[in-house]
Amino acid sequence: MSTMALAPRVVALVLLLAFLLAPQFFAPVFAPLTHNGAPPIYTQASLLDLAIAHLELVALATVGSAVVAIALGVLVTRRAGAEFLPLSRAIVNIGQTFPPVAVLAVAAPLVGFGQAPTLIALFVYGLLPIFENTLSGLQQVSAAVVESAKGAGMGGLQRLVKIELPLAAPQILEGVRLSTVIAIGTATIGSTVAAKGLGEVIIAGLLSDNTAFILQGGLVVGVMAVLIYDAMTALERIVLRRRGVRR
């Protein structure tokens, strides 16, 4: 990434951290968006704590989605598991068929309020991008390369770990990256079932008709999504370059 392309991201990161650590310094910026003496900065909870809790939810859900989706992708690209492809697609499409709010509505009465129903909703919603990218990546691995590995005496597991997954890694990681960004935005709805996160700020703004709160929550979520997407992209390039895999 060039210096000119990196500079705006560094500025965004610095401003984000400054706002989360000392939000009151930004009160004059948000004050024009309030009325009737409403507070310009959300102070009912620490914005830094809410951001950390938000990212923790996203990380847990994304890791769970990645483990399940990649395992399913591997299974259905093996000869023994090919017949399970339609079933696997049906499972991972649940998250896209039912919106996260609907999943929350079903999960909350079963597991209670708080983080649990939000994790379930984010987990289910994050399966499809990772599964489809895993499937696409593994299917595009050259049959000649696989046959060469087989001819070299590699077993099925060795071929998968040393040949197929590394070659499919760029697409798999792209799916994980996309799932992560989707989860960062979607996690805001978790506050409707008492999950700690930045959705709390947005909901407080909606309930009190305070545009400043709504903008604060939305901006922090949006900037985090962009910065994390870029950071994951850069990390992916470093890892793949060291492993000698081309994008």
Side-chain angles (χ1 to χ4, degrees):
M1 187 181 295
S2 66
T3 303
M4 291 186 64
L6 183 61
R9 292 165 175 81
V10 173
V11 171
L13 177 60
V14 170
L15 288 174
L16 175 63
L17 291 175
F19 180 69
L20 293 176
L21 291 170
Q24 291 299 336
F25 284 107
F26 293 81
V29 176
F30 293 98
L33 301 174
T34 63
H35 54 271
N36 298 327
I41 299 295
Y42 185 78
T43 57
Q44 296 177 30
S46 165
L47 290 175
L48 179 60
D49 289 344
L50 291 177
I52 292 173
H54 193 99
L55 292 178
E56 285 177 348
L57 275 173
V58 170
L60 287 172
T62 303
V63 169
S65 297
V67 170
V68 173
I70 293 172
L72 282 176
V74 170
L75 172 65
V76 299
T77 52
R78 306 304 97 182
R79 183 176 301 176
E83 61 184 294
F84 295 105
L85 177 56
L87 176 61
S88 298
R89 272 217 165 99
I91 291 173
V92 300
N93 272 289
I94 290 176
Q96 306 299 319
T97 304
F98 299 98
V101 174
V103 177
L104 279 179
V106 173
L110 298 176
V111 299
F113 288 82
Q115 286 191 334
T118 307
L119 281 172
I120 293 172
L122 295 180
F123 165 78
V124 172
Y125 208 60
L127 288 171
L128 183 62
I130 304 174
F131 174 78
E132 290 295 344
N133 277 47
T134 300
L135 193 63
S136 176
L138 290 172
Q139 288 176 337
Q140 289 180 22
V141 174
S142 171
V145 173
V146 175
E147 287 301 318
S148 297
K150 188 184 297 185
M154 286 189 180
L157 182 59
Q158 282 184 306
R159 293 196 301 273
L160 174 65
V161 174
K162 295 184 177 181
I163 304 296
E164 295 180 72
L165 285 176
L167 291 176
Q171 284 187 270
I172 295 173
L173 292 174
E174 182 181 346
V176 173
R177 192 166 64 245
L178 178 59
S179 181
T180 301
V181 172
I182 291 173
I184 291 173
T186 307
T188 55
I189 66 170
S191 295
T192 60
V193 290
K196 191 175 181 181
L198 290 164
E200 178 180 321
V201 184
I202 298 174
I203 291 175
L206 292 171
L207 293 176
S208 62
D209 192 25
N210 190 327
T211 306
F213 288 178
I214 299 171
L215 186 60
Q216 285 163 41
L219 282 175
V220 172
V221 170
V223 172
M224 286 198 313
V226 171
L227 292 177
I228 289 174
Y229 183 89
D230 287 345
M232 292 179 72
T233 301
L235 180 61
E236 174 190 330
R237 288 172 178 165
I238 292 171
V239 172
L240 294 179
R241 189 181 301 120
R242 288 183 177 178
R243 294 181 66 88
V245 178
R246 293 184 178 180
R247 289 181 56 84

